[in-house]
Amino acid sequence: MPRYLHTFSYTKEAIRGLMAKPEDRLEAIRPLFEAAGGKLIDGYYAFGDIDGVIITEFPSNVDVAALAMAVGGSDAIASLNTTVLIEMGEAVAAAEKAGKLTGVYRPPGE
């Protein structure tokens, strides 16, 4: 099943909520990921430009998009980004295919 990397930042209101009622958010959100057809693999809080990172598995991009819409539509998340992760074997296969495409692409103006 494809894996995804989600990075997020909370709203100020959500951070105040976490401070008022500290909890393990991975366990709190796990049922949402399962209801959307996915599996929450792991998650971490982070310092810097984002507040956290979550790794998931989903059967399809449609399932991930539905989850992102549900979460992004809440007032708790200020930003949410999702990146499709590609396994090393797939990356090697893509590189091999790209090598066969070399010379086929014509840049604009050439």
Side-chain angles (χ1 to χ4, degrees):
M1 200 168 358
R3 285 196 174 186
Y4 299 84
L5 168 72
H6 312 271
T7 59
F8 65 91
S9 293
Y10 285 120
T11 61
K12 289 179 183 178
E13 293 81 11
I15 292 171
R16 282 194 289 271
L18 286 169
M19 291 169 30
K21 185 182 175 188
E23 64 178 326
D24 181 341
R25 291 301 300 162
L26 286 181
E27 294 314 311
I29 64 173
R30 190 177 304 279
L32 171 65
F33 285 82
E34 292 170 356
K39 179 180 178 185
L40 195 158
I41 304 297
D42 211 349
Y44 305 90
Y45 279 113
F47 295 115
D49 295 336
I50 59 169
D51 291 329
V53 174
I54 296 173
I55 306 291
T56 62
E57 287 183 344
F58 277 92
S60 75
N61 290 336
V62 171
D63 298 317
V64 176
L67 175 98
M69 288 178 190
V71 171
S74 77
D75 291 332
I77 303 297
S79 69
L80 175 65
N81 296 296
T82 301
T83 302
V84 179
L85 300 176
I86 300 172
E87 293 179 2
M88 288 299 160
E90 290 178 309
V92 169
E96 289 171 351
K97 186 169 186 174
K100 295 174 185 172
L101 298 174
T102 300
V104 177
Y105 174 71
R106 182 188 54 78
E110 288 187 15

